[in-house]
Amino acid sequence: MTASGIAQQAVDIFTARERQRFLEQNPKSVALAERAHQSLYAGVPMHWMADWSTPCPLFVERAQGARFYDVDGHDYVDFCLGDTGSMFGHSPAPIARALAEQGARGLTTMLPGEDAVVCGELLAARFGLPYWQVTATATDSNRYVLRWARAVTKRKTLLVFDGCYHGTVDDVMVRYRDGETVHRSGLVGQAYDLTQHSRSIPFNDVEALEAALAQGDVCALLCEPAMTNIGMVLPDPGFMQKCRELTRKYGSLLIIDETHTISTNIGGCTQLWNLDPDFFVVGKPIAGGVPCGIFGCSAEMAERMAASRKSAQEDSHGHGHSGMGTTLSANALAMHCMRANLEQVMTQAAYDHMLPLAKRLADGFRTLITKHDLKWSVTELGARSEFQFCPVSPRTGAEAEAAFHDELQMALHLYLINRGILITPFHNMTLCCPDTTAADVDRLIETLDAGITELLAIPG
Ligand code: PMP
């Protein structure tokens, strides 16, 4: 039997039907997909875009608020929201205005403007950490923070949780298997052994955490306050506080990556749970969907970073390179959009709208599970919720992964897409934005209900 309790044969029949329907409904996407194969590797501008549940990529014409429109004229309620890049809706009016304003005033000079100072002040006031840096992506933020952490602690080992994702940062591409750290499967072109300087342990395991830190070689624990990339996994009560307490006890730093969990609260889980990290990372929605990442650090870190930099500069006689930064980082366009986002879009009012809708959605999933007598569960945190194919919410990445039934997940996602609803690919996560309505939420639940009813009617 499958993890989900749904027979594979039924899923296969259901999937074949939905693939056929997609191809019939989307002639323009199909034609563009065929054309794209002649110039784009894998037929898409970024290879992940070929990994959705659809038989060929769904080509988007435009997006606005909680909706997007495909090239064949269908409209969709979007609960994926660019996997958080558009967490505050597609093209919010203040961001569209900021783009137009800055568009005529220069996009990148490799010099700061007043917007940069205002953003620094806004970030410090909002997130409580005094000093900030701006990057092009959350991946970059994590890479640079890791470099700083190694520099200031003079330790090499990075500690992460099994099943984590923090962007395409080499050092986090490890898993925990039978008590050992191993390479994550599927890595392409991996030249060196990542397990040399990275260690992976199960989430919610205080004993493993202490044992890993007690070795005395850990520069930092890099973690999300709740896992959101292997399915959602919430921390046990007090677990994140233990992460803070034990990293401090063993001289390791705590890096909190709130790139996804920023959907929980205007100051992230960091503020909500009083996590007091040494470094804090956000990317994706921080500039309203314009590529941008940030990281903040404590005053103590800033001091230690300055000392490390000074000694690195002395060693290199002023001709070295920090190994951090990209040319377009903190460009004028990103800074102007981040300012508009922080001032006008990423507001308490936005969260006040999103959070109850996500609750309504999670309740709807639970009702469906009960109605169809499925052994599934729902995990919710802030504006996110997810149904998982296991009877109780997972406590570790391995448990979340054991609940995967990829073919079923893809089949249900495709069923929803064929009826104008998009949820986050690769697992079953949903996100509500300030433009999502209660009717949108109800439509997702009703459509999923119809899909599950059809699926269960197929003899297994
Ligand atoms: N951190 C977390 C927690 C993420 O979920 C992601 C992306 N899913 C990243 C970092 C990387 O973001 P990006 O791909 O925008 O660099």
Side-chain angles (χ1 to χ4, degrees):
M1 202 33 155
T2 58
S4 63
I6 308 285
Q8 186 56 45
Q9 202 191 329
V11 175
D12 292 344
I13 293 167
F14 183 84
T15 301
R17 232 153 64 184
E18 291 304 316
R19 286 174 73 88
Q20 189 56 35
R21 181 174 172 137
F22 179 91
L23 294 171
E24 282 164 15
Q25 276 184 186
N26 294 285
K28 288 188 178 158
S29 271
V30 171
L32 280 174
E34 278 166 15
R35 193 174 135 205
H37 270 289
Q38 282 146 47
S39 63
L40 298 171
Y41 167 74
V44 278
M46 203 276 280
H47 71 274
W48 303 350
M49 290 183 183
D51 294 342
W52 289 77
S53 57
T54 51
C56 77
L58 177 65
F59 283 78
V60 174
E61 194 242 330
R62 72 199 149 89
Q64 177 63 59
R67 290 187 154 58
F68 72 91
Y69 304 83
D70 73 18
V71 292
D72 284 284
H74 309 115
D75 65 289
Y76 296 80
V77 183
D78 192 356
F79 290 95
C80 168
L81 297 161
D83 192 17
T84 311
S86 301
M87 189 177 106
F88 301 105
H90 294 288
S91 286
I95 301 299
R97 268 198 307 275
L99 282 165
E101 282 160 12
Q102 198 60 40
R105 290 202 311 229
L107 305 182
T108 187
T109 57
M110 232 170 64
L111 288 166
E114 190 183 354
D115 284 335
V117 183
V118 174
C119 283
E121 290 163 357
L122 290 168
L123 292 170
R126 178 164 305 197
F127 297 120
L129 288 157
Y131 298 112
W132 294 87
Q133 287 283 275
V134 179
T135 69
T137 64
T139 296
D140 282 347
S141 292
N142 283 319
R143 278 200 296 129
Y144 307 156
V145 166
L146 174 56
R147 249 186 201 275
W148 282 122
R150 284 179 168 148
V152 305
T153 60
K154 300 192 172 58
R155 293 177 176 185
K156 286 187 178 163
T157 304
L158 174 69
L159 185 61
V160 292
F161 290 122
D162 180 48
C164 73
Y165 186 73
H166 298 283
T168 46
V169 179
D170 282 357
D171 308 71
V172 307
M173 296 292 176
V174 289
R175 296 295 308 263
Y176 173 86
R177 290 279 182 274
D178 304 322
E180 302 284 327
T181 300
V182 299
H183 277 190
R184 191 178 168 149
S185 63
L187 293 179
V188 172
Q190 187 58 47
Y192 58 91
D193 181 2
L194 297 170
T195 68
Q196 257 186 308
H197 300 305
S198 297
R199 190 170 298 148
S200 177
I201 54 166
F203 195 56
N204 277 327
D205 186 337
V206 177
E207 219 172 282
L209 176 64
E210 179 142 26
L213 292 167
Q215 294 181 47
D217 57 354
V218 173
C219 63
L221 168 64
L222 167 60
C223 60
E224 291 187 275
M227 301 186 82
T228 64
N229 281 292
I230 188 143
M232 286 169 65
V233 184
L234 302 186
D236 290 345
F239 180 69
M240 287 314 300
Q241 282 68 24
K242 270 279 172 221
C243 289
R244 177 64 285 186
E245 190 186 308
L246 291 174
T247 43
R248 214 162 250 151
K249 176 172 171 189
Y250 292 102
S252 307
L253 306 178
L254 178 62
I255 307 166
I256 301 279
D257 178 355
E258 294 250 24
T259 298
H260 277 178
T261 49
I262 194 65
S263 56
T264 310
N265 171 50
I266 194 161
C269 294
T270 296
Q271 185 189 67
L272 202 61
W273 300 340
N274 205 8
L275 297 181
D276 193 22
D278 299 293
F279 289 97
F280 173 96
V281 169
V282 187
K284 298 194 186 184
I286 199 69
V290 172
C292 191
I294 53 168
F295 63 92
C297 68
S298 65
E300 184 201 334
M301 282 309 112
E303 236 172 71
R304 291 170 69 182
M305 284 154 71
S308 307
R309 188 142 168 252
K310 188 159 171 276
S311 90
Q313 275 170 341
E314 279 162 10
D315 290 349
S316 64
H317 308 290
H319 294 286
H321 194 292
S322 68
M324 296 174 278
T326 60
T327 311
L328 297 184
S329 296
N331 66 72
L333 183 72
M335 298 314 298
H336 196 56
C337 290
M338 192 193 332
R339 177 177 178 172
N341 193 50
L342 292 170
E343 286 179 340
Q344 301 172 63
V345 180
M346 191 179 175
T347 59
Q348 189 56 48
Y351 283 87
D352 290 345
H353 178 89
M354 287 148 63
L355 301 183
L357 283 176
K359 171 116 199 28
R360 183 184 183 102
L361 189 48
D363 289 343
F365 287 144
R366 284 194 194 95
T367 306
L368 273 190
I369 289 170
T370 307
K371 173 177 169 187
H372 293 287
D373 196 19
L374 297 163
K375 303 286 175 282
W376 301 354
S377 52
V378 177
T379 303
E380 62 178 303
L381 181 68
R384 272 173 216 286
S385 70
E386 164 149 15
F387 57 97
Q388 286 157 304
F389 305 136
C390 48
V392 286
S393 286
R395 283 186 60 246
T396 65
E399 282 180 23
E401 194 175 33
F404 280 0
H405 180 173
D406 291 336
E407 297 86 353
L408 173 62
Q409 167 250 301
M410 304 261 278
L412 291 174
H413 288 215
L414 180 55
Y415 184 93
L416 293 172
I417 288 171
N418 280 339
R419 289 152 188 84
I421 295 169
L422 191 76
I423 68 173
T424 313
F426 317 132
H427 46 112
N428 297 315
M429 192 161 71
T430 58
L431 184 58
C432 293
C433 78
D435 301 293
T436 310
T437 63
D440 294 337
V441 166
D442 295 348
R443 185 167 148 205
L444 167 51
I445 296 299
E446 280 155 25
T447 311
L448 188 60
D449 187 8
I452 293 171
T453 304
E454 274 187 44
L455 177 62
L456 293 176
I458 300 171

